[in-house]
Amino acid sequence: MHTTSSPANWQSFQSSHTRYPELGFTIDTSRMDIPSDFPDSLTKEIDRAIKGIQSIEKGEIMNPDEGRMVGHYWLRNPELAPNQELKTQITQPIADLKVFAQQVHTGKITNPKGGRFENLLIIGIGGSALGPQFIYEALGANSPLKTFFFDNTDPAGIDATLAKIIGTQGGLKSTLSLVVSKSGGTPETRNGMLEAVAAYEATGLDFGPHAVAITGDGSQLFEYAKNNAFITTFPMEDWVGGRTSVMSTVGLVPAALQGINTDDLLDGAKAMDDRTRSADIKENAAMQLALAWHHAGNGKGEKDMVVLPYKDSLVLFSKYLQQLVMESLGKELDLDGQVVNQGVAVYGNKGSTDQHAYVQQLRDGVANFFATFIEVRKGRDGESVEVDPNTTAADYLQGFMRGTRSALYQSGRKSITLSIEEVTPRTVGALIALFERAVSIYALLVNINAYHQPGVEAGKKAAGIFLELLQQVKGALTEQEQTADQIAASVQADAEDVYHCLTHLAANDSASVNYGNSPASDSFKAS
């Protein structure tokens, strides 16, 4: 017994289906139920988006808050860069990083003990870690360097990663550390580096001769690398934002070290860029994606996007897109200063694993989302066993994806399906470029700045205020027990903020606590 599509669905598929054969790529928006005349209602906005993308690629200031150009589209096509200096800033590091990776692989560059580097530790935060993590998970199965990440300032997480590295055959002495920070002042990255420095020194090793920096010229990290004899430094330009940096040295240095074909990655992105410059909406997959988001959420982000890649190697794609989309589109104000509270929430994991998890709610629960299926047509290299007569595991994976898509649509849940032939550097580059351009287009459609992050900066500022208070509270502790109210009065701060400082200090052996009947009656003293 099987079901078939209705003639209406078949016709909708024909008219909502765009293929790029040279990329093995297809987009299908037929299950979004977008009226054919919908683009006509956004003529002005679409024209603004097309002109805006052109302005970005010409090098106009598109991040007015920071007075910066937005140059990530030049990274895969340096000829677009508006002057020769910028072209050289792109092409020279690419040439240099290829030579560096080859020298590491061939043993020309060794660790100070004379052995080859066998491990790679990437120390970064946000796009400086998430992009390389996604690329490694998707494409790094045959990497000559086993790769690890410090992507948080969680000491237990750092310890767990260090234990894994120390447990490898080469240990820390054969581990190349890559520190990634544009300014060098990002606390999480700085903390991770200092934790790494301490770990190397605890085993009698100098960190510098095991380390490489990717940073801005003259930054704090640049100076630290120079003063501590790092192996080398690669540039990180201010016209590339962290969430769009995976095609820059941030992503290409680790990819090259992992043996991934960086030329193919860049070529796939360039090919997608070329295709999605078209002013013809039916030929422009990025415009179709942005319009689908706009239609689903009424131009206000009223629906979440659930990303479901049906391939284990793409498990981090939803996490990668979460940052790219939400940090770019989640804005309070538009470019005219009006309060708009824009954004598209993104979550997801992988199929078919999550058919046994949240797909139940997707079909039968609150209809506050649309799905984006990522189909990979090729199951595996080589022969497949039959798990049922004339049926393989790949057949099941396809069946689960198509079945889930149909079940959701029958229940009124909309979806987009993106298809690639297989997971390769070229197709991964194309997918990244597709979403980067869709984000740019959507931002232009709704008139927001996709390239700043005032909310992130506000969080950093608030964290700094808390850390200052933490030092004051630590200084106010005595051998006499005091409540949060008493210490708050002495440091002239909010009692709740002080209480959270005290419980943190108590949990980390910098204070002792005597619990009362409520937070107000808890008392603390120096340990």
Side-chain angles (χ1 to χ4, degrees), residues 455-479:
V456 175
E457 299 307 320
K460 291 179 181 178
K461 182 178 180 181
I465 292 170
F466 179 85
L467 289 169
E468 289 178 9
L469 176 61
L470 186 65
Q471 295 303 314
Q472 294 175 14
V473 171
K474 190 180 292 188
L477 284 167
T478 67
E479 294 182 359

Side-chain angles (χ1 to χ4, degrees), residues 4 46 50 59 86 100 144 151 180-181 184 200 228 237 243 251 259 263 329 413 439 446-447 465 504:
T4 58
I46 291 171
I50 292 171
L86 289 170
F100 175 74
D151 63 349
V180 189
S181 175
Y200 278 85
N228 288 274
E237 307 300 343
R243 57 190 174 275
D263 287 340
L329 302 183
R413 276 64 170 168
V439 162
V446 299
N447 195 38
I465 292 170
H504 169 76

Side-chain angles (χ1 to χ4, degrees), residues 59-76:
E60 295 182 17
I61 299 299
M62 297 301 291
N63 185 357
D65 289 20
E66 299 174 8
R68 291 179 178 174
M69 300 178 289
V70 176
H72 54 277
Y73 298 126
W74 310 333
L75 295 171
R76 50 263 198 170

Side-chain angles (χ1 to χ4, degrees), residues 473 476-488 490 502 512 520-526:
V473 171
L477 284 167
T478 67
E479 294 182 359
Q480 184 74 32
E481 289 188 353
Q482 301 176 81
T483 66
D485 283 310
Q486 290 172 324
I487 294 177
S490 70
L502 289 166
S512 59
S521 59
D522 295 347
S523 57
F524 301 82
K525 65 178 182 178

Side-chain angles (χ1 to χ4, degrees), residues 41-336:
S41 67
L42 294 173
T43 301
K44 180 180 72 174
E45 289 83 356
I46 291 171
D47 183 62
R48 179 172 63 207
I50 292 171
K51 291 178 180 177
I53 290 285
Q54 292 170 350
S55 296
I56 290 171
E57 294 189 333
K58 287 177 182 176
E60 295 182 17
I61 299 299
M62 297 301 291
N63 185 357
D65 289 20
E66 299 174 8
R68 291 179 178 174
M69 300 178 289
V70 176
H72 54 277
Y73 298 126
W74 310 333
L75 295 171
R76 50 263 198 170
N77 188 355
E79 291 305 312
L80 292 175
N83 59 58
Q84 187 57 49
E85 181 182 3
L86 289 170
K87 291 176 186 177
T88 303
Q89 288 176 6
I90 298 165
T91 56
Q92 189 59 57
I94 290 176
D96 292 344
L97 69 87
K98 289 179 181 178
V99 171
F100 175 74
Q102 184 183 40
Q103 290 177 335
V104 170
H105 294 157
T106 58
K108 187 172 182 179
I109 291 177
T110 65
N111 66 59
K113 300 289 187 182
R116 291 187 184 229
F117 284 111
E118 298 173 15
N119 301 321
L120 177 63
L121 172 61
I122 298 174
I123 304 171
I125 191 73
S128 295
L130 190 50
Q133 279 178 311
F134 167 55
I135 295 296
Y136 180 60
E137 188 73 28
L139 301 168
N142 298 316
S143 172
L145 299 180
K146 187 172 178 60
T147 304
F148 303 87
F149 294 88
F150 283 179
D151 63 349
N152 200 357
T153 188
D154 173 15
I158 290 170
D159 288 346
T161 300
L162 283 172
K164 292 177 183 177
I165 294 172
I166 292 169
T168 64
Q169 184 174 355
L172 276 174
K173 74 176 186 298
S174 297
T175 300
L176 177 66
S177 285
L178 189 60
V179 188
V180 189
S181 175
K182 186 183 294 183
S183 68
T186 306
E188 296 93 336
T189 305
R190 182 206 59 199
N191 294 355
M193 182 183 71
L194 294 177
E195 290 270 3
V197 169
Y200 278 85
E201 290 180 347
T203 57
L205 301 169
D206 289 333
F207 181 69
H210 293 82
V212 172
I214 300 177
T215 190
D217 186 34
S219 73
Q220 295 176 43
L221 177 56
F222 182 90
E223 295 301 324
Y224 185 91
K226 184 171 64 174
N227 294 333
N228 288 274
F230 276 30
I231 298 169
T232 191
T233 301
F234 290 98
M236 189 175 179
E237 307 300 343
D238 67 1
W239 39 264
V240 179
R243 57 190 174 275
T244 55
S245 65
V246 73
M247 302 283 176
S248 73
T249 52
V250 171
L252 297 182
V253 172
L257 287 167
Q258 292 154 0
I260 295 166
N261 190 321
T262 56
D263 287 340
D264 283 356
L265 188 73
L266 293 167
D267 183 66
K270 179 182 181 299
M272 181 60 75
D273 287 346
D274 291 343
R275 279 288 202 158
T276 54
R277 287 192 188 95
S278 175
D280 183 350
I281 293 172
K282 292 184 177 180
E283 295 298 322
N284 188 330
M287 179 66 77
Q288 292 173 28
L289 205 53
L291 288 173
W293 298 350
H294 195 289
H295 180 261
N298 292 318
K300 300 175 182 178
E302 293 174 0
K303 293 288 180 74
D304 301 342
M305 177 165 63
V306 181
V307 180
L308 290 169
Y310 276 68
K311 205 67 175 176
D312 286 358
S313 61
L314 298 181
V315 64
L316 291 182
F317 196 39
S318 57
K319 188 177 178 182
Y320 174 80
L321 291 179
Q322 194 169 63
Q323 182 188 20
L324 174 64
V325 175
M326 295 179 71
E327 194 169 31
S328 298
L329 302 183
K331 302 296 162 65
E332 179 184 17
L333 305 177
D334 67 11
L335 288 168
D336 297 324

Side-chain angles (χ1 to χ4, degrees), residues 28 452 471:
D28 170 15
H452 67 163
Q471 295 303 314

